[in-house]
Amino acid sequence: MYFTHADAVWEAHPGLRAAVIAVDGVLGITATRAYQDKLLPRIEERLAAGGESAMPEISAWREAFSAMGLKPTQYRCASEALLRRYRKERSLPAFHPLVDYLNTVSMAFAVPVAVFDCDRVAEGITVRPAEGTEEYTTFQGESEHPAPGEVVFTDAAGYAHSRRWTFRQSARSVVGPHTERVLIVAEALHPSAEADLTALQQEITTVLGECRVRVGATKLVRPTERRLEFFSPSASEESPSEERP
């Protein structure tokens, strides 16, 4: 499998950096609550310092969304949405030990973190402007087609695994009780993105190793290193059980 950004994304956002981590053995993950709790003081400190829009990590995403013609107050990157919800409720709903931990990491670093079930992705993921034919599945089970030019995570079968870049993931590749292999992607645009993502990647790989899952290939994606190859093809990838209509 692979992960990469299209040239058009790099041309529009040269400051982009991404931490990409391939993980196997998710079915054996142990409890992550203690690791989430360790990050809470950092989140509280971040929230006490000011509003989300003033955080450089989120301000950079707001600028990017505006440049793409999206209203930042209507479409918020995932980390901003999580922080805003946590500020109001001081809690988040529990979904899955891995997802819950990564949501906490996203808030602690104020960086969007996506995680995809690799067995629900065809061949790999390219972050690119949509052509308008891609199929996105909402969490209500409905199908949508991103508008041409909208930045999406898409696979070789034409499925969109996100909408509006870091705004919302697809239900198609969401992590669930039967997920075994995942790809974790954290993206940032702010000036210290490379250093911050290096620290974020170290946080995740250390904790997941302690939680008894296997961390495989990793990469800090930058303009000179744009692609990660990971996981050998499995039979299910070579002969997918579901075909596009």
Side-chain angles (χ1 to χ4, degrees):
M1 300 189 77
Y2 61 85
F3 175 85
T4 191
H5 294 82
D7 289 346
V9 174
W10 287 109
E11 291 166 4
H13 307 279
L16 171 67
R17 299 293 185 272
V20 188
I21 307 167
V23 177
D24 196 6
V26 175
L27 287 172
I29 192 169
T30 57
T32 60
R33 183 72 249 181
Y35 299 101
Q36 294 170 241
D37 290 343
K38 287 182 181 180
L39 292 171
L40 293 182
R42 180 170 178 171
I43 295 170
E44 293 292 348
E45 181 180 354
R46 180 178 286 281
L47 292 175
E52 291 78 20
S53 63
M55 299 176 189
E57 302 89 345
I58 289 173
S59 176
W61 278 109
R62 282 176 160 244
E63 291 177 9
F65 275 34
S66 293
M68 292 186 290
L70 303 173
K71 293 182 179 179
T73 55
Q74 181 177 2
Y75 300 107
R76 306 179 191 275
C77 72
S79 54
E80 180 179 2
L82 287 169
L83 282 165
R84 285 173 58 84
R85 181 167 183 171
Y86 188 82
R87 183 188 291 276
K88 294 177 181 178
E89 303 176 9
R90 284 305 190 270
S91 66
L92 291 175
F95 297 105
H96 181 282
L98 177 60
V99 175
D100 299 342
Y101 166 66
L102 293 176
N103 281 344
T104 308
V105 171
S106 179
M107 291 190 293
F109 286 83
V111 168
V113 180
V115 55
F116 305 94
D117 184 330
C118 290
D119 292 321
R120 303 292 295 167
V121 174
E123 297 184 26
I125 288 176
T126 300
V127 184
R128 62 168 175 79
E131 297 173 354
T133 58
E134 298 83 1
E135 183 179 331
Y136 170 88
T137 304
T138 72
F139 282 85
Q140 291 72 43
E142 300 174 349
S143 292
E144 299 177 349
H145 295 284
E150 178 186 326
V151 177
V152 294
F153 283 63
T154 188
D155 66 17
Y159 288 104
H161 294 273
S162 78
R163 289 295 311 270
R164 300 174 182 88
W165 201 347
T166 56
F167 171 63
R168 183 167 293 160
Q169 288 186 231
S170 168
R172 179 174 180 80
S173 52
V174 69
V175 172
H178 304 295
T179 298
E180 175 71 351
R181 307 183 306 161
V182 303
L183 181 69
I184 300 168
V185 181
E187 294 170 292
L189 297 162
H190 61 287
S192 61
E194 190 158 328
D196 293 340
L197 287 176
T198 299
L200 178 149
Q201 184 170 278
Q202 182 61 47
E203 157 74 26
I204 292 175
T205 56
T206 298
V207 168
L208 293 188
E210 293 177 0
C211 289
R212 300 183 181 178
V213 297
R214 295 181 294 275
V215 176
T218 66
K219 183 179 282 292
L220 182 63
V221 174
R222 48 170 74 92
T224 56
E225 299 179 71
R226 300 185 179 188
R227 185 180 178 95
L228 174 67
E229 300 278 351
F230 61 100
F231 296 150
S232 298
S234 67
S236 62
E237 289 165 356
E238 294 170 356
S239 302
S241 58
E242 292 187 50
E243 301 291 340
R244 285 179 58 81

